[in-house]
Amino acid sequence: MGFSDYLVWLFWAFIWISFICVVIFIIFDLFSDHTVSGWGKAGWIILICFFPALGALIYLIARGKGMAERRAYGNQTVAEDDDYKPRRFDNPADEISKAKALADQGVISQGEYEAIKDKALRATG
């Protein structure tokens, strides 16, 4: 086996690994899309299993733009989750009085008022 044979083998190995990655991304995208029905997902999986190259090409042409949008949306939600910090009550008495006023107005239920009160009291201790 010469050097040129090695380069050809390396090229084809790269193509196969890239193709497998594309198919995996397609499957992840397909199952993360809530707009496609179960039968639609099954149809895409069958197409990709029996005709992998053709199925992947058709999927990328038909749904490629949606893949990018879903991926961008997924990245935004992760960024929002990373910025989440639990709420800290500066003055529990103020929080309890605000919750009591909302409960008296009927905006929140008595159970919600009790939950807010318990949370505010726990935040102090």
Side-chain angles (χ1 to χ4, degrees), residues 5 8 12 28 33 44 51 61 92 96-97 112-113:
D5 291 335
V8 169
W12 285 112
F28 280 137
D33 187 4
W44 278 112
F51 304 103
I61 291 170
I96 294 171
S97 64
E112 291 171 320
Y113 164 71

Side-chain angles (χ1 to χ4, degrees), residues 58-73:
I58 292 171
Y59 188 89
L60 291 175
I61 291 170
R63 301 180 47 82
K65 183 178 180 183
M67 284 178 75
E69 291 170 356
R70 283 184 293 280
R71 191 167 177 97
Y73 177 75

Side-chain angles (χ1 to χ4, degrees), residues 10-56:
L10 193 64
F11 171 76
W12 285 112
F14 174 77
I15 295 296
W16 275 106
I17 291 171
S18 299
F19 177 71
I20 291 169
C21 288
V22 167
V23 169
I24 289 171
F25 283 133
I26 288 172
I27 291 171
F28 280 137
D29 178 68
L30 185 61
F31 283 103
S32 67
D33 187 4
H34 300 290
T35 61
V36 178
S37 69
W39 287 107
K41 291 176 184 180
W44 278 112
I45 293 296
I46 289 170
L47 181 66
I48 289 173
C49 285
F50 288 112
F51 304 103
L54 182 65

